[in-house]
Amino acid sequence: MTSDTATPATVPGERVPDGAAPNVGVELQYTHSTTPFPLPVSPDSGPYRPADLAIVLTRRASRPIECGPVTVSVPVGDGATALASGTAGMTASTDRPGWNTAIAESGRVTFTPPGGAVQIGKENGLALSLSKVPVNRTVGRALLTVSVRWRSPGETGEDSWNEETVDLPVPKFPPSFSLGVLRAAPARIGYGGSVTLTWQAAGGSFRLRYGKADILVTGQDSYTAHNITRDTVFHLSGTSTSASGEVEAVRSVWVTVDVPDVVTTSLTVTRSIVTDRLAAPTFTAPAFTATTVTHRPELSMRRFDPRQRRWSEPVRLPFGPAASPPALLVHGGKLHLVFRPYADEQLTWAQYDGSTWRTMPQSPGRAAPAPVALASASTGLVCAFQTPDGEQQTVTSGNGTSWGTPSAMPAPSGGAVSFCWDGTALYAAMRIVVSTVPGVAIYRQEAQQWREFHMNPFIPVVGSPELVLQGENHLYYFRSLGGAVWTRWRHKADTGQLNWNTQKVNMKAAHDVRLATAGPTLYALYPDSEGVLHLRTSGGPSGLSTALVDEYRTLETPALTWYGDRLIAVGRAGACPP
């Protein structure tokens, strides 16, 4: 990735951010760029050379603001601090329709929104363009002055308006100065690898900066950097000196390192380590000294749009560190989440209505830091958990606000319980051990008692099985030795103990597979052998398509369910067991 910036020479090259040169106001961030870059002055004689300017305004905070007219003052004149020789031929526009523009001879350009005001947020900024600006003939540094009238949404009256003003520097270089695009080959390298930087530059002094390195490269057009162990931004800065002072332009390029070092002399965590990106490449827990740091991951939520086949970025949930993997389910039109927090043995129960999470006042019960499970049955919302004493229990909420009396249920031989309600009965699948061989057991609840419904000790099971109803079939996925994934299914009305179909699925999973259904479609979320999450979509037991969730590694598969028209995944992702 390459980017360009033009800055005053007082700003060190290593501090130049990616992209065009940004300036930060109180309410907005302003990014500006010039075409051409670097911007040359016009020759001593002949017509003035035109340039284009772009200014992008974006909101700094999450809440939008209402903006009125925006003015950009372009300094006009012949001196070093002026930019344009005049305003004849200049044009102005925005990336939003309906805006009016006016250019005064003084260089003041006014952008007026339709209706007098518009909202600007973090994701819907405003781009201003000035075209055919005749650049004067004097090397130096001009300042574009941007003024924005703004107020909070809902405020009225002339007194409600505020004004924010920033100055954006625009260096002007001699026509003989040039600084071509900085390129890196390869742009992605292995740990400790080398990268060759190439460029074309003339008419000034040039330095290459990265990390702690600061290398004079004037007269060169390439440089090879060795032993790169982490993602690195390389900056090529060029300076030109004239009677009016020194100006600087910077080209940048980003080089990515596979499995990079994270190097720091000191790490201070004021609250907790919050990440779903933490995992070691060999699937061993990251090495921490127990007396100095505790990894307490928080929960994050992703959404998947099946029409666009796209996942959203994970968003941290407002519950604090989670000591257990969460359970996730839709019941009564709401999304329900249950997990064991770090600070308390009482399970946390929360509901989501599509916009807001609400922590419920009553807990399902006291639990160990072990996996929990949820089911939506005819009796209400059912929760399974392990008590601090090691007993496996279930408890039901019939009204969606409080819980009944817990009762005992069969316990898995490690791992989690997976519930499935098929419209007539509640089933629970779990890992069990029969004669030292781990297998799958499925129990059916009848008259408040759990009875063995299915036993599969034939294929050694690793981790926890996942049971769902796909169409009219009971179906479960489980992992065997080496990460191979198997599925077994049968019609829900079939009562034969051995009438299960078995098939090996063409996938390998580093952790348990999580399943969700929407009609006949089955979604399977799992980390591959390298810990990268994938979503497999199928209309039957065999897979039809697989999509990458993201490129980050994880040690724990998030919980998965279907809510509205989206898949929802909530998990600790890269969490290490507490």
Side-chain angles (χ1 to χ4, degrees), residues 70-254:
V70 180
T71 63
V72 178
S73 296
V74 180
V76 175
D78 298 325
T81 59
L83 175 60
S85 62
T87 59
M90 283 177 52
T91 62
S93 62
T94 72
D95 65 336
R96 296 192 186 185
W99 284 64
N100 293 321
T101 60
I103 302 175
E105 289 186 4
S106 63
R108 181 183 175 92
V109 184
T110 303
F111 301 81
T112 304
V118 297
Q119 286 195 0
I120 293 181
K122 295 192 73 171
E123 298 181 359
N124 61 332
L126 173 66
L128 311 176
S129 299
L130 299 175
S131 302
K132 300 179 182 179
V133 178
V135 182
N136 70 14
R137 307 184 195 277
T138 307
V139 174
R141 178 172 172 268
L143 292 177
L144 299 175
T145 300
V146 182
S147 296
V148 180
R149 294 192 77 198
W150 70 273
R151 64 185 178 188
S152 298
E155 292 184 339
T156 58
E158 187 64 23
D159 293 341
S160 64
W161 289 103
N162 304 280
E163 186 163 338
E164 177 169 286
T165 301
V166 298
D167 291 325
L168 308 180
V170 180
K172 300 174 296 174
F173 295 84
S176 60
F177 180 89
S178 64
L179 182 62
V181 174
L182 178 62
R183 293 183 170 87
R188 189 182 189 101
I189 60 176
Y191 178 87
S194 301
V195 60
T196 298
L197 293 307
T198 58
W199 64 88
Q200 296 293 326
S205 177
F206 301 93
R207 307 191 73 88
L208 183 67
R209 298 183 174 103
Y210 65 97
K212 296 181 179 180
D214 187 347
I215 305 156
L216 180 66
V217 292
T218 302
Q220 299 177 218
D221 59 8
S222 66
Y223 179 86
T224 300
H226 301 285
N227 193 29
I228 305 301
T229 59
R230 50 181 165 167
D231 295 350
T232 302
V233 182
F234 294 84
H235 304 281
L236 178 65
S237 67
T239 57
S240 176
T241 304
S242 67
S244 57
E246 185 178 80
V247 289
E248 180 186 47
V250 178
R251 298 277 196 181
S252 301
V253 66
W254 178 279

Side-chain angles (χ1 to χ4, degrees), residues 424-506:
T424 59
L426 180 63
Y427 298 83
M430 62 193 70
R431 178 179 180 269
I432 50 92
V433 176
V434 178
S435 300
T436 72
V437 179
V440 173
I442 299 178
Y443 296 87
R444 174 174 172 154
Q445 191 178 46
E446 299 176 1
Q448 304 303 312
Q449 298 295 318
W450 291 95
R451 304 185 186 280
E452 184 179 304
F453 175 73
H454 166 69
M455 189 74 67
N456 173 28
F458 307 112
I459 301 175
V461 175
V462 177
S464 305
E466 183 83 340
L467 176 66
V468 295
L469 183 71
Q470 183 189 17
E472 295 296 311
N473 290 329
H474 293 131
L475 175 145
Y476 66 90
Y477 273 37
F478 64 96
R479 291 183 301 136
S480 64
L481 299 176
V485 177
W486 295 77
T487 180
R488 305 198 82 196
W489 73 98
R490 55 176 256 177
H491 194 277
K492 67 178 184 179
D494 194 337
T495 58
Q497 177 66 245
L498 301 178
N499 295 343
W500 287 80
N501 301 287
T502 304
Q503 180 175 319
K504 189 174 183 180
V505 184
N506 186 26

Side-chain angles (χ1 to χ4, degrees), residues 194-438:
S194 301
V195 60
T196 298
L197 293 307
T198 58
W199 64 88
Q200 296 293 326
S205 177
F206 301 93
R207 307 191 73 88
L208 183 67
R209 298 183 174 103
Y210 65 97
K212 296 181 179 180
D214 187 347
I215 305 156
L216 180 66
V217 292
T218 302
Q220 299 177 218
D221 59 8
S222 66
Y223 179 86
T224 300
H226 301 285
N227 193 29
I228 305 301
T229 59
R230 50 181 165 167
D231 295 350
T232 302
V233 182
F234 294 84
H235 304 281
L236 178 65
S237 67
T239 57
S240 176
T241 304
S242 67
S244 57
E246 185 178 80
V247 289
E248 180 186 47
V250 178
R251 298 277 196 181
S252 301
V253 66
W254 178 279
V255 173
T256 301
V257 175
D258 291 329
V259 195
D261 279 346
V262 178
V263 180
T264 179
T265 57
S266 176
L267 177 64
T268 301
V269 181
T270 59
R271 180 162 160 253
S272 62
I273 295 176
V274 180
T275 179
D276 68 345
R277 310 294 198 197
L278 186 60
T282 57
F283 294 100
T284 58
F288 292 133
T289 304
T291 57
T292 58
V293 64
T294 301
H295 179 49
R296 294 183 175 180
E298 299 193 19
L299 298 174
S300 61
M301 180 172 73
R302 293 179 175 94
R303 295 180 176 89
F304 177 74
D305 186 338
R307 292 167 298 182
Q308 298 185 3
R309 304 286 301 169
R310 182 180 303 169
W311 284 92
S312 67
E313 288 294 319
V315 176
R316 190 179 69 185
L317 299 183
F319 304 119
S324 74
L328 189 67
L329 189 82
V330 175
H331 176 77
K334 293 183 179 180
L335 188 62
H336 293 258
L337 174 72
V338 174
F339 68 95
R340 156 70 196 274
Y342 266 93
D344 192 350
E345 288 186 345
Q346 295 289 338
L347 290 170
T348 294
W349 174 31
Q351 296 180 359
Y352 181 69
D353 61 6
S355 61
T356 305
W357 283 99
R358 176 191 175 202
T359 302
M360 304 302 291
Q362 185 175 352
S363 168
R366 293 175 59 248
V372 292
L374 288 173
S376 179
S378 60
T379 55
L381 182 66
V382 182
C383 178
F385 58 93
Q386 183 186 109
T387 69
D389 298 331
E391 181 182 1
Q392 191 72 28
Q393 292 187 344
T394 61
V395 64
T396 301
S397 173
N399 56 13
T401 58
S402 60
W403 296 90
T405 302
S407 61
M409 72 168 294
S413 301
V417 171
S418 176
F419 278 137
C420 173
W421 170 258
D422 70 357
T424 59
L426 180 63
Y427 298 83
M430 62 193 70
R431 178 179 180 269
I432 50 92
V433 176
V434 178
S435 300
T436 72
V437 179

